[in-house]
Amino acid sequence: QVQLVESGGGSVQAGGSLRLSCLASTSAHSNSCMAWFRQAPSNEREEVATINSFGAVTYADSMRGRFTISQDIAKNTVYLQMNNLKPEDTAMYYCAYSSDWYHCREFADWGPGTQVTVSS
């Protein structure tokens, strides 16, 4: 099991930026995929972005161009830089781990989440 801990959430005004971090346990980055998901109240959880241990990334269409996922393998950390935030970005953001580095599916391990609130 991989332990994940998110940080960096908070409250910002629309147009602002935040950088989320996800610290993973030591073995998480070998042939794996890490992802950020989010879930707003009364909404289904949605995938935000993924990055595998080879650096390949994907984004949800609505976040492309505003959000950037990156990783520091030496620090076992994945980041989500969020720019030009909108009120509809308000949600709990979760980091997740999958051993399926190729398809980036079947995320088995999840962090507790970090709250992002964007005010208009």
Side-chain angles (χ1 to χ4, degrees):
Q1 186 176 8
V2 175
Q3 283 75 47
L4 304 168
V5 178
E6 304 94 340
S7 61
S11 297
V12 296
Q13 291 190 327
S17 299
L18 284 173
R19 188 176 81 155
L20 306 184
S21 299
C22 174
L23 177 62
S25 55
T26 304
S27 61
H29 270 85
S30 56
N31 294 342
S32 63
C33 182
M34 301 289 288
W36 287 98
F37 288 79
R38 70 183 186 183
Q39 187 167 19
S42 303
N43 287 3
E44 293 186 357
R45 185 175 62 198
E46 62 176 332
E47 184 178 287
V48 174
T50 70
I51 186 167
N52 71 12
S53 47
F54 301 98
V57 301
T58 66
Y59 295 96
D61 289 342
S62 61
M63 288 71 148
R64 193 184 306 276
R66 297 191 299 123
F67 292 7
T68 303
I69 190 169
S70 62
Q71 62 188 353
D72 186 331
I73 293 177
K75 295 183 178 179
N76 295 319
T77 302
V78 174
Y79 303 98
L80 185 68
Q81 178 68 43
M82 305 186 294
N83 298 327
N84 190 23
L85 283 161
K86 305 175 181 180
E88 52 265 41
D89 294 319
T90 295
M92 185 70 80
Y93 284 71
Y94 298 92
C95 179
Y97 166 86
S98 169
S99 60
D100 182 1
W101 64 269
Y102 186 77
H103 295 102
C104 283
R105 298 175 187 167
E106 304 296 332
F107 291 93
D109 299 299
W110 296 79
T114 186
Q115 177 69 37
V116 172
T117 303
V118 185
S119 58
S120 58

